Amino acid sequence: KNQVEQSPQSLIILEGKNCTLQCNYTVSPFSNLRWYKQDTGRGPVSLTIMTFSENTKSNGRYTATLDADTKQSSLHITASQLSDSASYICVVRTDKLIFGTGTRLQVFP
Amino acid sequence: GAVVSQHPSWVICKSGTSVKIECRSLDFQATTMFWYRQFPKQSLMLMATSNEGSKATYEQGVEKDKFLINHASLTLSTLTVTSAHPEDSSFYICSARGLAFYEQYFGPGTRLTVT
């Protein structure tokens, strides 16, 4: 069964700190892996997309990694800002998009 | 970048009435549109996929007679929730993909509350 699991479910950090979100997947066949940011009451916005051959991809303060052998990905957020408070969703594409349940990040001043 | 809009952004309706939600691709032609539903603290769940000019393909467990999807043009798809009930209250998100696109772009979502 195709599954995408994320951890932690929720995370609270102080502004300026770094954090790392985890994603494990069992999806076949694998096409690509995406990280999305979803603000409360809004649709998801793409942060990064990685194919099988890509290990790292950055988008500003967001850096995603992919280990296709262990089927794990991480999203690292550097120097967090209050506006980073959102849900972060790991999505793996096969013949369709398989969504993780997300990590709810709260950044406090 | 590609922009997808939804209208309305939120709607409240009485039980038994029908509600139509529009999804538009503003700056590209969307050959395929997707409709998702998201309950609080849960992930997006695909309801149906529609290709322009064709009947929508519904996911298992989604009632096609209750959730009517029309994709009559390359820039517009509509989702009509017929005879809405309180359990249909949810956040509905559409997504669009163009013919040459690697990416699937999401709309801002529509919050439906059925009283």
Side-chain angles (χ1 to χ4, degrees), chain B residues 2 6-7 15 24 40 43 46 52 69 81 85 89 99 111-113:
Chain B
Q6 284 184 239
H7 178 79
S15 186
R24 295 181 184 272
S43 192
L46 180 64
E52 184 265 337
I69 292 172
V81 183
H85 288 97
S89 298
L99 187 62
R111 171 73 60 192
L112 169 64
T113 301

Side-chain angles (χ1 to χ4, degrees), chain B residues 45-66:
Chain B
M45 293 178 56
L46 180 64
M47 299 175 65
T49 303
S50 71
N51 293 300
E52 184 265 337
S54 303
K55 286 186 178 180
T57 301
Y58 290 81
E59 295 298 300
Q60 192 172 11
V62 178
E63 301 175 57
K64 62 180 181 181
D65 294 330
K66 181 170 183 61

Side-chain angles (χ1 to χ4, degrees), chain A residues 34 38 49 51 93 96 100, chain B residues 38 43 59 97 102-103 108:
Chain A
R34 306 140 179 252
Q38 185 179 21
I49 300 177
T51 59
R93 182 174 191 83
K96 61 177 71 172
Chain B
Q38 185 178 33
S43 192
E59 295 298 300
R97 186 175 69 203
Y102 189 61
E103 179 67 81

Side-chain angles (χ1 to χ4, degrees), chain A residues 2-52:
Chain A
N2 289 327
Q3 278 189 318
V4 178
E5 296 181 345
Q6 292 185 243
S7 63
Q9 280 190 325
S10 61
L11 183 62
I12 298 175
I13 62 174
L14 294 176
E15 186 179 16
K17 297 297 185 182
N18 304 334
C19 67
T20 300
L21 314 180
Q22 301 291 342
C23 173
N24 296 334
Y25 62 92
T26 52
V27 174
S28 182
F30 175 92
S31 179
N32 58 59
L33 185 144
R34 306 140 179 252
W35 282 94
Y36 286 90
K37 178 185 179 186
Q38 185 179 21
D39 292 310
T40 301
R42 306 292 293 174
V45 174
S46 179
L47 295 175
T48 61
I49 300 177
M50 287 185 293
T51 59
F52 185 87

Side-chain angles (χ1 to χ4, degrees), chain B residues 7-93:
Chain B
H7 178 79
S9 55
W10 59 270
V11 57
I12 301 174
C13 70
K14 291 186 177 180
S15 186
T17 62
S18 294
V19 174
K20 180 184 285 188
I21 301 170
E22 293 186 348
C23 175
R24 295 181 184 272
S25 56
L26 298 186
D27 51 2
F28 68 100
Q29 293 184 325
T31 51
T32 305
M33 284 188 171
F34 308 84
W35 286 96
Y36 295 86
R37 180 167 52 182
Q38 185 178 33
F39 293 106
K41 296 186 179 181
Q42 293 187 23
S43 192
L44 282 72
M45 293 178 56
L46 180 64
M47 299 175 65
T49 303
S50 71
N51 293 300
E52 184 265 337
S54 303
K55 286 186 178 180
T57 301
Y58 290 81
E59 295 298 300
Q60 192 172 11
V62 178
E63 301 175 57
K64 62 180 181 181
D65 294 330
K66 181 170 183 61
F67 298 99
L68 302 179
I69 292 172
N70 183 280
H71 189 175
S73 79
L74 286 172
T75 60
L76 174 65
S77 175
T78 60
L79 167 67
T80 301
V81 183
T82 62
S83 186
H85 288 97
E87 57 265 31
D88 297 324
S89 298
S90 187
F91 193 52
Y92 291 86
I93 303 173

